[in-house]
Amino acid sequence: MSLVKLTIKGISYSQTQNGAYALILNEVDGERKLPIVIGAFEAQSIAIALEKEIKPPRPLTHDLFKNFADRFDIVVKQVIIHKLVDGVFFSSIICERDRIEEIIDARTSDAIALALRFNAPIFTYKNILDKAGIYLKVSPIDENSKKEEGDDPLSSPETFGLTDDETVTGETYSQYSLAELYDLLESAVQNEDYEKAAKIRDEISKKES
């Protein structure tokens, strides 16, 4: 199976539901986006790694892992999102020490947080992107807007080139037909409703599997 390289497009969050974050990965040589719902701690860790100027006063968990790996000459070579089951993404961290390669299972959010700290590339398989990738309209970053010192790295989704007009509800989508789900997905994409789009996409994947 062929690998597709991904970059981090940004992080979006809900104004109405605490802990609801979406990490948006972008296909390097294409237009598809891969939204992955992640937790608040992992979202903050990824945001801090993206914002090079922000240095936490004490190491976060992923910073500690990086320091530990550096001390023992362990290098993260790449991260591969290798499986999607019932809306859950599974990832592997490819590490190397003394020219010996090891593969470590990891949550996708943790794997990406570490990839950023090691400047390691992120990949997924083409069949996963075919199954879970969607088209999202992304707003350009305002080059004139500057981040004030002391701002929370997650305080504004525009920091990462995304707008967030969505509202997250506890709605489930199992009662909808595939045709209805695709209509809902198109509407969510048009409204830049990333969390909702991810949930609908996951339900489509379940029904099509």
Side-chain angles (χ1 to χ4, degrees), residues 3 16 28 71 76-77 131 141 159 163 169 173-174 199:
L3 287 172
T16 60
V28 170
R71 182 66 60 90
V76 171
K77 305 292 290 185
K131 184 178 181 180
I141 297 175
T159 301
T163 58
T169 69
Y173 300 97
S174 57
K199 291 176 182 177

Side-chain angles (χ1 to χ4, degrees), residues 11 29 31 63 67-68 72 95 114 118 120 147 166 191 205:
I11 296 174
D29 295 320
E31 298 297 326
D63 298 319
N67 295 338
F68 183 90
F72 292 95
C95 302
L114 290 174
F118 283 89
K147 198 170 180 59
E166 53 80 32
N191 292 326
S205 296

Side-chain angles (χ1 to χ4, degrees), residues 36-187:
I36 301 174
V37 177
I38 63 176
F41 171 79
E42 291 78 13
Q44 183 183 53
S45 181
I46 290 170
I48 288 174
L50 287 170
E51 291 290 317
K52 303 299 185 183
E53 301 84 8
I54 298 175
K55 298 294 182 184
R58 299 292 296 156
L60 300 178
T61 301
H62 299 111
D63 298 319
L64 175 61
F65 185 99
K66 173 66 162 58
N67 295 338
F68 183 90
D70 288 344
R71 182 66 60 90
F72 292 95
D73 297 322
I74 300 169
V75 178
V76 171
K77 305 292 290 185
Q78 62 184 8
V79 163
I80 300 176
I81 303 170
H82 64 85
K83 186 166 63 173
L84 172 61
V85 179
D86 293 334
V88 178
F89 292 89
F90 293 77
S91 293
S92 295
I93 301 173
I94 314 300
C95 302
E96 185 179 274
R97 181 173 185 266
D98 295 334
R99 298 185 180 180
I100 298 175
E101 190 173 275
E102 299 285 349
I103 301 176
I104 300 174
D105 182 45
R107 296 187 307 170
T108 297
S109 55
D110 290 328
I112 290 173
L114 290 174
L116 283 170
R117 286 161 171 81
F118 283 89
N119 294 316
I122 302 165
F123 296 94
T124 191
Y125 288 109
K126 182 179 181 297
N127 66 321
I128 292 178
L129 198 57
D130 290 341
K131 184 178 181 180
I134 58 179
Y135 290 88
L136 297 178
K137 188 172 68 176
V138 179
S139 301
I141 297 175
D142 182 1
E143 297 294 341
N144 296 321
S145 63
K146 299 298 181 181
K147 198 170 180 59
E148 294 184 3
E149 185 177 356
D151 281 352
D152 183 342
L154 291 179
S155 63
S156 171
E158 283 81 12
T159 301
F160 309 102
L162 298 173
T163 58
D164 184 8
D165 300 320
E166 53 80 32
T167 54
V168 176
T169 69
E171 182 179 6
T172 59
Y173 300 97
S174 57
Q175 72 271 26
Y176 293 98
S177 68
L178 270 175
E180 290 171 329
L181 287 170
Y182 277 111
D183 287 341
L184 288 170
L185 178 61
E186 182 177 356
S187 176

Side-chain angles (χ1 to χ4, degrees), residues 6-11 23-28 46 49-50 112-113 115-116 122 160:
L6 303 170
T7 58
I8 296 175
K9 194 67 179 178
I11 296 174
L23 172 67
I24 312 299
L25 301 176
N26 188 69
E27 181 183 16
V28 170
I46 290 170
L50 287 170
I112 290 173
L116 283 170
I122 302 165
F160 309 102

